[in-house]
Amino acid sequence: MMPGLAASPVIFERIRLPEDQFEVHWLSWKIPLNGESLSAYAKRMCSEIKHENPVLIGVSFGGVLVQEMAQFINLRKLIIISSVKTKDEIPLRMKLVRSSKIYRLVPTRLLQQIEVLQRFAFNQALKMRFKLYEKYLSMRNKEYLEWAIEQMLCWNRTQVDENVVHIHGDADEVFPIENIKSCIAVSGGSHIMIVLRYRWFNEHLPKIILDA
């Protein structure tokens, strides 16, 4: 299981699959090498896979990464959650950010200082959101953040991998479902439904994985 951009694999802590059927392994982000492409990074990540014919599950940018990893290893199944299958599913606002290259101005240092920002939260909802960020966004390395944002926005895949099983929330605010061509839709699921709707995944993931 591969978490989303900057996220810790702790996002999967409430996912419970039957232990007599599945052996679950969490993957963590590595610091990218200087000038490393997404494809080269994916190949390097494959060294963490110790089993033959595994199931890869990726969330958000992690979903993009596991699709790249699938080029280098034989999989039993490839599942993406709250993610995209091609650049055509990326929303217009992100395409505009990409074309303008304004993403290079993103103050990634702010993500490194969530604990400081938390002090300035002016309402309970914002405080709770910062607490979630503090818990789940563990990769705050500046080089990684700048690399990951650019790789996500500039992902150029145009051909859908027909082996991908795509699970997507119909209330996803990052990748609106209107742009998604084909998926298993989760009613009311947001971009972080892997955390908030874990019961849905505990109920449905085993069947999705085992279906031929």
Side-chain angles (χ1 to χ4, degrees):
M1 292 183 172
M2 187 76 216
L5 194 152
S8 160
V10 175
I11 66 169
F12 301 116
E13 65 183 347
R14 292 184 175 179
I15 303 300
R16 299 279 187 268
L17 303 181
E19 293 183 1
D20 60 337
Q21 293 177 288
F22 304 102
E23 184 178 332
V24 178
H25 296 270
W26 293 352
L27 297 174
S28 298
W29 291 104
K30 299 174 180 288
I31 305 297
L33 304 177
N34 187 36
E36 190 170 28
S37 68
L38 182 59
S39 179
Y41 185 95
K43 188 173 184 179
R44 189 158 61 97
M45 282 296 296
C46 287
S47 65
E48 300 298 318
I49 308 296
K50 307 301 182 185
H51 299 78
E52 293 185 0
N53 300 312
V55 175
L56 279 184
I57 301 176
V59 175
S60 192
F61 181 49
V64 169
L65 178 65
V66 295
Q67 289 175 81
E68 294 293 319
M69 291 171 67
Q71 299 176 72
F72 303 107
I73 51 176
N74 294 318
L75 299 178
R76 175 186 175 124
K77 186 153 286 188
L78 177 61
I79 300 172
I80 65 172
I81 299 167
S82 307
S83 190
V84 293
K85 298 182 291 297
T86 70
K87 68 176 185 177
D88 296 326
E89 293 184 337
I90 294 173
L92 178 60
R93 65 178 180 275
M94 287 190 181
K95 292 176 181 176
L96 293 174
V97 169
R98 168 183 173 162
S99 62
S100 68
K101 300 191 184 300
I102 198 171
Y103 60 85
R104 294 178 178 174
L105 303 178
V106 172
T108 52
R109 291 187 184 278
L110 289 179
L111 282 174
Q112 299 172 283
Q113 301 169 3
I114 289 174
E115 295 84 355
V116 175
L117 292 173
Q118 196 171 326
R119 299 176 194 166
F120 299 96
F122 52 81
N123 60 45
Q124 195 58 35
L126 202 53
K127 287 178 181 177
M128 288 301 295
R129 178 155 291 198
F130 277 131
K131 283 187 179 298
L132 284 174
Y133 289 162
E134 185 179 1
K135 179 176 182 179
Y136 294 120
L137 296 184
S138 64
M139 177 57 88
R140 302 184 201 170
N141 175 273
K142 185 175 184 294
E143 287 71 26
Y144 163 81
L145 290 170
E146 291 176 351
W147 174 87
I149 291 169
E150 181 172 21
Q151 299 305 316
M152 180 67 250
L153 290 173
C154 298
W155 193 46
N156 265 325
R157 177 167 294 193
T158 57
Q159 201 73 24
V160 174
D161 184 335
E162 297 301 330
N163 295 316
V164 171
V165 177
H166 191 169
I167 305 172
H168 209 84
D170 65 7
D172 193 305
E173 63 281 11
V174 176
F175 300 122
I177 200 167
E178 292 78 15
N179 300 318
I180 305 301
K181 299 299 184 288
S182 178
C183 68
I184 299 170
V186 179
S187 179
S190 69
H191 192 65
I192 57 171
M193 64 180 180
I194 192 67
V195 174
L196 301 181
R197 298 292 301 278
Y198 64 90
R199 290 187 180 90
W200 187 97
F201 289 97
N202 288 343
E203 179 182 352
H204 293 93
L205 259 186
K207 185 176 187 302
I208 292 171
I209 292 170
L210 294 174
D211 274 353

